[in-house]
Amino acid sequence: MAAGCELSAALTLRQGSIAALCLIAALGSVQAKLSLCEPNERVVYSCEVKSSSKVASLCASQTLTEQEGYLQYRFGSPGQIELTYPAQKRNSLQKFRLWRYARPMVDRLTISFDSGAYTYTYSSDYDGDEKPPIDKVEILVSRQGSRKVTTLVCVGKQIADFSFIEGIMPCQDDSWGQCP
């Protein structure tokens, strides 16, 4: 290969590497904005809240079993977290409840916890039988003993991976839900 071609190929490779690094940095920035989880944690769910700059995230340790690891809810903005639950990570998995109902074309999942006088419920609802299909994700905040419910609607790109918590998170069983 001629010297000019080698130099041109090397520059193209270097430019491609720089472009790839920029893309990775940009994706990391997007991930950081979408989640309040630390880079060494797993994201169970994370979403931006409609009409605000707030993010709601459920974060887990890399290793999460019934005996080890932790689960922690965070709400706020990157760099300014307003609520962390539970404050102590030890035995935190037992403070959350999972409920799921699934059949062909329908998938409903909730993850709930109680903090003080409030119950927080992450709710994911997909119903493909409806026309148009229902596909909504929201966080419901209710004060115990009150009928008032504040609904925080999740919008835009969301992160959700429930595969590693099903079967180890305490289940909120009822006549509709299915406990693994």
Side-chain angles (χ1 to χ4, degrees), residues 45 98-101 107-111 121-126 162 165-166:
Y45 71 76
L98 173 73
W99 177 89
R100 184 166 217 165
Y101 173 77
D107 190 11
R108 295 187 174 112
L109 177 138
T110 66
I111 296 174
T121 303
Y122 166 90
S123 173
S124 174
D125 185 4
Y126 176 78
F162 306 105
I165 62 167
E166 289 189 89

Side-chain angles (χ1 to χ4, degrees), residues 57-83:
S57 299
L58 184 61
C59 311
S61 55
Q62 286 292 328
T63 301
L64 183 62
T65 68
E66 291 178 35
Q67 292 80 29
E68 69 176 293
Y70 63 87
L71 203 56
Q72 196 171 56
Y73 173 81
R74 298 181 190 132
F75 179 82
S77 303
Q80 189 173 353
I81 296 174
E82 299 171 24
L83 173 64

Side-chain angles (χ1 to χ4, degrees), residues 132-145:
I134 295 172
D135 191 6
K136 67 180 179 179
V137 177
E138 53 196 13
I139 297 165
L140 310 170
V141 183
S142 58
R143 185 174 177 86
Q144 295 164 2

Side-chain angles (χ1 to χ4, degrees), residues 14-28:
R14 184 171 177 201
Q15 289 168 342
S17 297
I18 291 171
L21 288 173
C22 289
L23 179 61
I24 290 169
L27 289 174

Side-chain angles (χ1 to χ4, degrees), residues 136-156:
K136 67 180 179 179
V137 177
E138 53 196 13
I139 297 165
L140 310 170
V141 183
S142 58
R143 185 174 177 86
Q144 295 164 2
S146 171
R147 292 183 178 205
K148 182 181 177 192
V149 176
T150 301
T151 302
L152 306 174
V153 178
C154 294
V155 296

Side-chain angles (χ1 to χ4, degrees), residues 97 112-121 140-144:
R97 299 174 303 281
S112 303
F113 66 89
D114 299 317
S115 178
Y118 293 89
T119 297
Y120 295 78
T121 303
L140 310 170
V141 183
S142 58
R143 185 174 177 86
Q144 295 164 2

